[in-house]
Amino acid sequence: MNTIRLTMAQAVVRYMMAQKVEVNGDIKPLFPGVWAIFGHGNVAGLGEALYQARETLPTYRAHNEQGMAHAAIAYAKTLNRRQVMACTASAGPGATNMVTAAAVAHVNRLPVLFLPGDTFATRMPDPVLQQVENFHDHTLTSNDCFKPVSRFFDRITRPEQLLTSLPQAVRVLTDPVECGPVTLALPQDIQTFAFDYPEHFFDEKVHRMRRQSADRRELDDALQLIRQAKKPLVIAGGGAHYSGALPELDTLVSRYQLPVGETQAGKGALPWDHAQNVGSIGVTGGAAANALAAEADLIIAVGTRLGDFASGSRAMINPHAKLLSINVASFDAVKHKGQSLVGDAKLTLSALVDGLDGWKPADSWVEQAAELRADWNDTVNRVTADRGTKLPCDAEVVGAVNRAAGEQDIVVCAAGGLPGELQKLWRTRFDRGYHMEYGYSCMGYELAGGLGVKMAKPDSDVFVMVGDGSYLMLNSEIATSVMLGHKIIAVVLDNRGYGCIHRLQQFCGGPGFNNMLEDCLTVEAGAPKTDFAAHAAALGARSEQVENIQALEAALERAKASDTSYVIAIDTDALADTQDGGSWWDVAVPEVSDRAEVRTARERYETYKARQFQNL
């Protein structure tokens, strides 16, 4: 057996470069790049290995470890999980800064390879700089924080352990069911240890998407269930995208005239103006899809885990409706008392098309869905129009950005009130035109995520919509986008606080407290007004502040013409949101309070809890 002597870090890099993936008939690198912020825990080992491979495996320098991981997550999501980026940071705070991003990837079932440096496996110089000493278990390091937010975790304490660990890591990253973040903790001394690796370990391997057909008995049961339905509603989730099942979804719902509601992850599964697309569903969904969900006798869920926002905290969907859950993961398929149909969406939807010949829903249901869809589209036109108000609402800003976006352009967002407005109101015909991180709803994802989206789709304009709160949490990757030449267009909606949670606080009976800047502890003069345009300019972007929607529309044209990242700031109304559509969300209200408003909110809460109980 021929061998090659490499350090552990060099072997990790060489193995990564040997992994390929087939995408639409083309063979591409599984790992197109590595995000890295070096420190003493990874600079001498992995840093040296990446330098030697820099012509083949690019290394991108970021400004924040969490931010670079968000960019890696957004890249993988935009490419439907076909390619994966790796992220490395030093032992200590550099590594733990990535833990939040690992949770984002885990919740959203998105692949990222985390390679955090770790403390010395030999323990000879302990305690080293940034080492978190555990008093009762010396095997624990701060990298153990990755364990609950990784689909696969390993700590490489001998270089030869890579021979069994790396194939498992890549298996998880490329598996349709187990897909998610992988963490390989790399002690800084072991990164530099050498081993004689078999040459065949680094042979090129091409990964192809595995497709699991549905079990014949489950499929027959599903066909029988659908044939009994008169009022079916399809819910399209992110799995429809990741499977590449959009043509099959279109064929099924068009042939049988099935109304389709889209989740945050599923949005774009059908063009917004498709005859069967009744809009988004759930807590932040549109009125049409939610009204149909309340009456449907069958829900056909495709590739969704039916989180609380999609199901209206289990209080929105008709409690007498049956649920058929099509999902590649049995873990998700059995939720909500669902009748599971486990299998790849592309294959399974095709089988349903063939097996339902001669069946159709009730004519009155088809007509009702069409009427509700038309009414909802009228609502969207109304609320996204420029009303000429002195302080525009989020919906008006969404409308302006949507009108500026081209057919192949992409909007990116993550947290606060904007995801609700965007899910309801954003219109796209491009299947990748809507990019929302709402599984973990991570503030700070937006700007870094926009960078990752742009890297994945360089020919699209990427519009990042971000609130002032999220901007202040994590904005440093604006400088990275300028440095790398990956232009993003960011619109900062400044409502001077956490407006979404402020509204929720009031809905639950609470007073304005610690959310809006005017309700926080401050110096006598109050909190300063942040000049977001000036700040973005200091990071290297072009920028401007605008006063109204008309000025915003003109600024968006300048931003589209710009050759570098462009940031537009606009003040918005913190209290106004789109009341049309939406449904209840289970946010617990105190049983005991001195405030009458809280007691009233509790009574309302218990009413909805009773509805929720019917769906358990």
Side-chain angles (χ1 to χ4, degrees), residues 43-359:
V43 67
L46 200 55
E48 186 275 342
L50 289 169
Y51 174 79
Q52 297 297 333
R54 67 192 183 281
E55 299 298 330
T56 305
L57 181 65
T59 297
Y60 302 104
R61 180 198 179 281
H63 290 84
N64 177 281
E65 292 90 355
Q66 184 184 146
M68 71 183 188
H70 287 327
I73 292 166
Y75 183 93
K77 178 180 175 72
T78 304
L79 296 179
N80 284 329
R81 310 194 303 190
R82 300 299 192 266
Q83 290 180 282
V84 184
M85 283 194 168
C87 296
T88 180
S90 185
T96 54
N97 277 351
M98 298 192 296
V99 172
T100 295
V104 169
H106 191 286
V107 169
N108 290 286
R109 322 292 170 80
L110 294 170
V112 183
L113 177 60
F114 290 100
L115 301 172
D118 213 328
T119 53
F120 279 72
T122 61
R123 303 183 187 173
M124 293 295 289
D126 284 9
V128 299
L129 180 67
Q130 299 181 334
Q131 180 174 351
V132 176
E133 294 181 277
N134 189 282
F135 292 1
H136 73 279
D137 186 346
H138 279 204
T139 67
L140 292 177
T141 78
S142 56
N143 280 339
D144 285 273
C145 295
F146 281 96
K147 287 183 176 179
V149 291
S150 297
R151 294 303 296 261
F152 178 82
F153 177 94
D154 199 1
R155 178 174 282 112
I156 307 301
T157 58
R158 290 291 306 168
E160 58 266 39
Q161 290 173 353
L162 292 178
L163 294 172
T164 54
S165 186
L166 283 175
Q168 292 295 336
V170 172
R171 174 189 64 82
V172 171
L173 292 169
T174 58
D175 188 272
V177 178
E178 295 193 41
C179 186
V182 167
T183 301
L184 299 181
L186 307 179
Q188 60 177 295
D189 51 345
I190 304 301
Q191 290 179 40
T192 67
F193 284 16
F195 181 74
D196 295 317
Y197 291 93
E199 286 188 350
H200 66 76
F201 186 62
F202 306 106
D203 289 347
E204 180 178 291
K205 181 173 182 180
V206 179
H207 300 270
R208 296 175 174 85
M209 185 176 179
R210 183 186 303 111
R211 296 192 181 276
Q212 174 185 348
S213 298
D215 178 81
R216 185 69 244 179
R217 291 164 298 183
E218 281 196 355
L219 181 61
D220 289 342
D221 289 344
L223 289 168
Q224 181 180 1
L225 184 65
I226 297 173
R227 285 183 174 278
Q228 294 170 351
K230 302 296 184 184
K231 299 179 177 182
L233 173 67
V234 175
I235 299 179
H241 288 279
Y242 300 145
S243 172
L246 304 190
E248 289 73 20
L249 176 66
D250 190 339
T251 298
L252 175 69
V253 302
S254 296
R255 181 174 300 181
Y256 299 106
Q257 295 182 283
L258 305 177
V260 180
E262 298 174 315
T263 69
Q264 287 278 18
K267 196 170 172 74
L270 295 175
W272 76 266
D273 53 356
H274 191 288
Q276 304 312 127
N277 190 341
V278 294
S280 298
I281 193 165
V283 174
T284 53
N290 287 355
L292 292 170
E295 291 189 39
D297 59 4
L298 174 65
I299 303 295
I300 304 173
V302 182
T304 172
R305 62 195 183 100
L306 286 178
D308 63 344
F309 261 69
S311 71
S313 295
R314 302 195 182 204
M316 177 190 69
I317 294 172
N318 178 3
H320 304 294
K322 302 292 186 181
L323 171 63
L324 175 65
S325 188
I326 301 168
N327 207 296
V328 72
S330 59
F331 180 89
D332 293 315
V334 300
K335 292 176 179 174
H336 295 263
K337 304 180 297 184
Q339 178 171 314
S340 62
L341 181 54
V342 177
D344 171 73
K346 190 177 186 71
L347 299 180
T348 304
L349 292 175
S350 291
L352 292 180
V353 170
D354 295 337
L356 288 172
D357 190 42
W359 168 83

Side-chain angles (χ1 to χ4, degrees), residues 497-555:
Y498 304 137
C500 172
I501 298 302
H502 173 72
R503 295 191 296 270
L504 178 62
Q505 186 177 54
Q506 292 186 321
F507 182 78
C508 293
F513 173 61
N514 204 52
N515 285 311
M516 305 309 293
L517 295 179
E518 65 183 11
D519 297 325
C520 300
L521 286 175
T522 68
V523 297
E524 186 175 349
K529 175 78 167 73
T530 303
D531 189 336
F532 292 101
H535 182 270
L539 294 177
R542 293 195 177 96
S543 62
E544 58 180 295
Q545 174 82 35
V546 297
E547 302 303 322
N548 52 46
I549 297 300
Q550 185 177 3
L552 172 62
E553 291 179 327

